[in-house]
Amino acid sequence: MRTLLLLVLSLFSAAVPAAMVTVTNADFEATTPLPFGQPVIGFWGWDNVPGWRSTVARNAGIWRQGTAPTLAPLDGSTQTAWLGIAAGTVAAIEQDLAEVVRAGTRYELSVSIGDRSDTPLGSPDGTPANARGGSVSLLSVTGDVLATEVFDGDFVQNGWRELRLGFTPDAADLGKQLRIRLQSAGIQVNFDNVSLSATSVPVPGAFVLLAGALVAAPRFWRRPRR
């Protein structure tokens, strides 16, 4: 009986593959007009990130790299989202998802953050690198912060780093519609490859109920003596 109990519990707690939550234009490759720039330094526009909402006018847009290696393409991509045009300006892009928070589910948000080499330490006026930080957040559409991760300007120059944050809901979070927010607290932070996974995790109380049922089962299975 003990062997059966351990076997069933191990099957019950086996890892379930993560399902990907749909994020529109997660790689920022959607076609959009880029009216500014030139072939060497690249092309850009503002307030033109398909599928995403900008919170500050003219402080977010799409960047397409030119022939100069200002920001090496990530996984074959050609475009990224840029945020922040002036020191001290907090700019963000947001997207409301169709996903609502479900019980027994762990969410993990992953975003790549990039640093352009043509603005190595902030801006020409000497803005320090740490003024180019920001945050990545998972919220409800009503503004409740469910998970957030703050980053500073200590980036790999002309490169990328991946930021991950996880969120396991409690009872008060269930049913809330999800929102992703990417935010810059300074100048020219770039974002790419946004993904959100949802993985089923066992509900703690279910283990207790299952174990109790398995322990009690032999009493009902045992035939009465004559």
Side-chain angles (χ1 to χ4, degrees), residues 137-208:
S137 302
L138 193 61
L139 309 92
S140 71
V141 295
T142 57
D144 300 324
V145 179
L146 306 176
T148 189
E149 185 74 27
V150 177
F151 59 89
D152 59 25
D154 187 20
F155 300 138
V156 177
Q157 187 168 324
N158 193 29
W160 296 90
R161 72 174 183 181
E162 183 182 29
L163 185 150
R164 289 178 175 268
L165 68 153
F167 162 63
T168 302
D170 56 28
D173 300 319
L174 302 183
K176 293 180 178 179
Q177 186 179 350
L178 292 178
R179 169 183 295 169
I180 295 174
R181 176 184 292 163
L182 310 179
Q183 183 169 292
S184 167
I187 299 173
Q188 292 292 302
V189 180
N190 287 254
F191 296 89
D192 209 347
N193 287 7
V194 181
S195 67
L196 179 64
S197 64
T199 306
S200 295
V201 294
V203 179
F207 281 113
V208 178

Side-chain angles (χ1 to χ4, degrees), residues 19-45:
M20 302 310 297
V21 176
T22 299
V23 179
T24 302
N25 194 22
D27 57 3
F28 304 107
E29 294 295 305
T31 302
T32 185
L34 300 176
F36 311 111
Q38 45 98 344
V40 175
I41 64 172
F43 294 89
W44 68 91

Side-chain angles (χ1 to χ4, degrees), residues 84-90 123 125 127 131 185-187:
I85 202 170
T89 299
V90 177
S123 69
D125 65 3
T127 303
I187 299 173

